[in-house]
């Protein structure tokens, strides 16, 4: 008999010995209604005394305590998993407590952990992990409908992220995508164009072309919020036109962004 549970929002799910699938499909033991989650995203291989996480080739991967894990990894009690925009926590039955309300005022990053001990001497890696952990807190706040709390966290966090980009410090593409997804969700929840501006400014600074799925979401949001054609979008499109050595797929994405600019100009 397994001694583990999976904490999700205000529930603790029993993990019986065997395979526990997580994904968007209703066939999964935990079905998550989240567009960032693949149909079969990951599986927990549950044994009596341990749980092993395996990503199933998902598009966005799984973060364990802020670090993406593509290979199977043994989990420890208290590990925090980010799948799409959802946070899950592994707990032992003996460690189980009644879940309490998320206290964002006193959010504290955990100390050294078996998954991160090997990289404690890398300041940039630690900083990236801290970003991802706080992003996870903000994601949970959004999932709970606490938009003001999420915005308060992300206002400084995304400003710091932009500063990293401006200083030419290394930022993984996955980190930029995750930060942009959060900005997109904030724009949808608040109706504020500044969060959409952040996406364009960040990608312009990083000299990266927005991915197709993000452009799709922006087309919907620009219409929904009647986002105006701000300087951020215009500057981004202009900067992309100046880029060289672009492939056919990237040029196609730029054409779609030009179409987005036309839609915004009509608002």
């Amino acid at each position: 008999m397994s001694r583990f549970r999976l904490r999700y929002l205000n529930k603790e799910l029993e993990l019986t010995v065997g395979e526990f699938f997580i994904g968007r499909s209703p066939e999964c033991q935990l079905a998550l209604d989240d567009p960032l989650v693949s149909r079969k995203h990951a599986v927990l291989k549950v044994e009596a005394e341990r749980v092993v996480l395996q990503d199933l080739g998902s598009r966005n991967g799984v973060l364990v305590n802020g670090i993406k894990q593509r290979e199977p990894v043994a989990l420890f009690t208290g590990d925090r998993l980010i799948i799409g925009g959802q946070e899950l926590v592994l707990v032992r039955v003996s460690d189980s407590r009644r879940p309490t309300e998320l206290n964002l005022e006193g959010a504290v990053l955990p100390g050294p952990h078996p998954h991160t001990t090997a990289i404690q001497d890398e300041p940039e890696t630690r900083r990236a992990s801290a970003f991802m952990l706080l992003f996870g807190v903000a994601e949970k706040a959004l999932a709970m409908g606490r938009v003001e709390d999420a915005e308060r966290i992300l206002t400084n966090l995304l400003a710091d992220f932009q500063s990293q980009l401006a200083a030419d410090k290394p930022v993984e593409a996955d980190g930029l995508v995750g930060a942009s997804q959060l900005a997109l969700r904030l724009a949808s929840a608040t109706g504020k164009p500044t969060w959409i501006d952040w996406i364009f400014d960040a990608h312009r600074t990083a000299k990266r072309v927005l991915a197709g799925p993000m452009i799709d979401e922006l087309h919907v949001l620009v219409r929904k919020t009647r986002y105006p054609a701000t300087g951020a979008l215009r500057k981004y499109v202009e900067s992309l036109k100046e880029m060289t050595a672009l492939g056919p797929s990237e040029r196609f994405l730029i054409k779609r962004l030009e179409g987005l600019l036309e839609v915004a100009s009509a608002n």
Side-chain angles (χ1 to χ4, degrees), residues 159-257:
D160 289 343
F161 195 93
Q162 178 74 297
S163 297
Q164 298 281 327
L165 292 171
D168 287 328
K169 293 187 177 179
V171 173
E172 291 188 5
D174 288 341
L176 180 58
V177 171
S180 298
Q181 286 288 353
L182 285 172
L184 195 71
R185 290 171 65 183
L186 268 182
S188 179
T190 64
K192 296 179 181 178
T194 50
W195 295 114
I196 300 180
D197 285 346
W198 186 92
I199 297 170
F200 297 133
D201 285 337
H203 279 78
R204 178 169 58 85
T205 304
K207 297 181 176 61
R208 292 177 185 168
V209 181
L210 276 159
M214 175 72 72
I215 296 174
D216 289 338
E217 293 183 70
L218 282 166
H219 266 279
V220 174
L221 190 58
V222 161
R223 289 179 171 86
K224 173 186 172 183
T225 62
R226 300 192 64 79
Y227 171 81
T230 63
L233 176 53
R234 292 185 186 279
K235 289 179 182 178
Y236 178 51
V237 172
E238 289 170 4
S239 71
L240 293 177
K241 291 179 180 178
E242 296 173 357
M243 293 175 65
T244 59
L246 294 174
S249 60
E250 290 173 312
R251 293 189 183 282
F252 174 72
L253 292 174
I254 293 174
K255 288 292 184 183
R256 294 183 61 197
L257 284 165

Side-chain angles (χ1 to χ4, degrees), residues 85 104 107 130-143 146-163 175-190 192 194-195 198-199:
L104 295 172
F131 271 124
M132 297 311 298
L133 286 168
L134 283 174
F135 281 151
V137 174
E139 285 177 328
K140 188 166 184 178
L142 283 170
R146 298 175 62 173
V147 177
E148 290 183 2
D149 286 329
E151 189 171 28
R152 177 171 52 81
I153 295 170
L154 289 172
T155 294
N156 292 330
L157 197 59
L158 291 179
D160 289 343
F161 195 93
Q162 178 74 297
S163 297
L176 180 58
V177 171
S180 298
Q181 286 288 353
L182 285 172
L184 195 71
R185 290 171 65 183
L186 268 182
S188 179
T190 64
K192 296 179 181 178
T194 50
W195 295 114
W198 186 92
I199 297 170

Side-chain angles (χ1 to χ4, degrees), residues 21 34 46 99 172:
F21 287 91
D34 186 325
V46 184
E172 291 188 5

Side-chain angles (χ1 to χ4, degrees), residues 12 34 64 90-91 96 132-133 159 187 202 205 266:
E12 289 187 358
D34 186 325
V64 178
L90 183 72
V91 298
S96 177
M132 297 311 298
L133 286 168
T205 304

